[in-house]
Amino acid sequence: MTTTTPQTPDPGGAEQAPPAPARPTRVIHTEATTEIPVHLLFRDDPDPVSVQLRPAVVGRRQGTGEQPRLRRPVPARARPVPHVDPDLVERPARVMPAAVGVLAGAAGAAGCAATSWWAGTMPPAVAAALGLPAAGAAPGPALWAAYAGAGALGLFGVGGLARGRTGRAWVLGMFGRYRGTVRRTGLMWVNPLLLRRRVDVRLRHWRSEPMPAADGSGVALRVVVLVVWRVRDTARAVLAVEDHETYLRVCVEAALARVPVEMPGAAKPAVDAAADALTRLVAADATPVGLEVFSVRPVRVEYAPEVADVMHRRRIAALDAQHRASVLTSVVDSVEDTVTRLTMRGLVALDDHERKVLVKDLTVAFCAGRAETGH
C-alpha cells in the first residue's frame, strides 16, 4: 500500500518552491573540461590589430576522436656564415696622374742641381753652359737641408710612378689599415709610402689534384675537379684570409666530403646534379671572402687505390656473369629452334624421354662449339 505524505504549508500561507534541478553529471569521467569566457570568443575591438598567421602543422591521433592539435613549425637551421669584418669592403683608392710624379721628380732634380751650384760643387763647364756665375757657399745646415729636401722631393715623385695592367689590381695599405684598391690601367702616381699587394682579378681556371670523395654507396673515390672562379672583392680576398687560393681548395675538399660523386658511366642527370651541388656549396663558402665561383665540375673520377682492385674484380665478375647469361640464352634459343624444326617438319617422332635426351645432346654440342670459337 502506498502512503502519500501531505505537503506542509509554510507559515505565510504560500507553498514551498520545488527544489532546483541538479547539475547533470559528466558523461566522460576521464576527460577534464575547461571553461572559456564568452567575451574572449566574440571580441568587438574598434581598431583590431592585424596579426600575421604562420602556417602550422596539424596532427591528429587516429581513432581517439580528439580534436586536431596545432604544432609550431620548426625553423630550418641556417648554415653558419664565416665571420668577416662588415667594414672590409673594396673601395677605390686615391691616385694621381703620372704627370704629378714626373713634375715632382723634375723639381727635385732641379733643386739638387741648384743646391750643388750654390755649394760650388757644380763643374765649371756645366755652370758655364748654363750661364750661371761661379758661386761657393760655405757648407752648413741650410745647405744640407736644401739637399735633403730636393732629394726627398725627387725620390717621392719618381718612386710613386706605377703602371697598372689589365686584369691586375693593387690593394693598398698603410700601417696595417686598408686604404683602397687600384684597378686603373696605364701610368699613374701612387703614394710610395703605401704598401702594395698585387692581385689577379681575371677569370681563372684551377684544376685540382686528386681529392678524396665517395659515391652514393659510400665507395671511396679520387676526383679531379675543374673550378672556374675569380676575385670579386680584392679587399676581402687579400685581407680577410691568409691565402684565398688555399681557402678555395679547402672549400672544394669540404664540398666533396658532403656531395656524392658518380662514376663517368652513370646517368647524365646524376652527374649534372652532383656538379650543381658542388658549385652551390663552394660558392656559398667562398662568397664571404670576396671570391666568385662560377662552376665546380669533376673532370676525372676513379676508384681509390685501396678499393680499386676489389672493384676491378667485381666488375670483371659482373661482365663474366653477363656474358655467361647471354651465351646460355643464345644456346637455349638455338636448341629450341632446332627441336621445333625437326618435330614440325615431321623428320623425327620423339616422345618425352627422347626429346629430353636430344635437348641435352644439342645443348652440350652448342656449348662446346661456342667454347672452341670463343664466342
Side-chain angles (χ1 to χ4, degrees), residues 64-313:
T64 59
E66 296 183 3
Q67 294 296 329
R69 299 179 180 178
L70 300 181
R71 300 177 182 175
R72 295 182 178 179
V74 179
R77 295 183 178 179
R79 294 185 58 198
V81 180
H83 175 71
V84 180
D85 187 1
D87 297 333
L88 188 61
V89 181
E90 179 182 335
R91 61 179 182 271
R94 296 180 180 179
V95 296
M96 294 184 180
V100 176
V102 174
L103 292 177
C112 289
T115 305
S116 299
W117 169 79
W118 181 30
T121 57
M122 180 179 291
V126 176
L130 296 176
L132 298 176
L143 184 64
W144 295 113
Y147 265 123
L153 180 61
L155 293 177
F156 196 76
V158 176
L161 294 177
R163 184 182 62 175
R165 299 181 180 180
T166 303
R168 302 295 178 90
W170 281 320
V171 177
L172 306 181
M174 177 181 285
F175 304 116
R177 183 179 179 184
Y178 174 62
R179 305 298 295 179
T181 300
V182 179
R183 287 180 178 262
R184 294 177 55 180
T185 58
L187 193 62
M188 71 192 77
W189 185 85
V190 183
N191 188 351
L193 299 180
L194 298 177
L195 178 63
R196 309 176 190 177
R197 298 182 182 180
R198 187 178 295 274
V199 184
D200 191 348
V201 295
R202 296 174 295 181
L203 187 67
R204 305 173 65 179
H205 296 72
W206 173 58
R207 184 185 178 95
S208 69
E209 65 277 3
M211 295 183 175
D215 60 1
S217 302
V219 179
L221 304 175
R222 287 293 183 271
V223 182
V224 177
V225 297
L226 179 65
V227 184
V228 182
W229 64 286
R230 71 175 180 180
V231 175
R232 185 172 185 177
D233 193 316
T234 56
R236 293 191 173 185
V238 175
L239 303 177
V241 290
E242 183 177 359
D243 186 358
H244 57 272
E245 296 183 1
T246 304
Y247 180 83
L248 180 62
R249 183 182 65 208
V250 174
C251 291
V252 173
E253 292 180 358
L256 286 174
R258 298 177 58 185
V259 178
V261 181
E262 299 298 333
M263 293 295 292
K268 188 176 183 299
V271 177
D272 294 341
D276 294 341
L278 288 174
T279 304
R280 185 172 59 257
L281 291 177
V282 176
D285 293 337
T287 299
V289 296
L291 304 182
E292 185 176 7
V293 179
F294 296 95
S295 67
V296 180
R297 293 190 174 276
V299 295
R300 190 179 69 186
V301 182
E302 58 187 10
Y303 290 109
E306 59 269 16
V307 299
D309 295 338
V310 178
M311 299 305 297
H312 182 64
R313 290 196 298 268

Side-chain angles (χ1 to χ4, degrees), residues 337-349:
D337 183 65
T338 302
V339 174
T340 301
R341 288 185 178 184
L342 290 176
T343 55
M344 292 295 294
R345 295 181 181 182
L347 298 178
V348 292

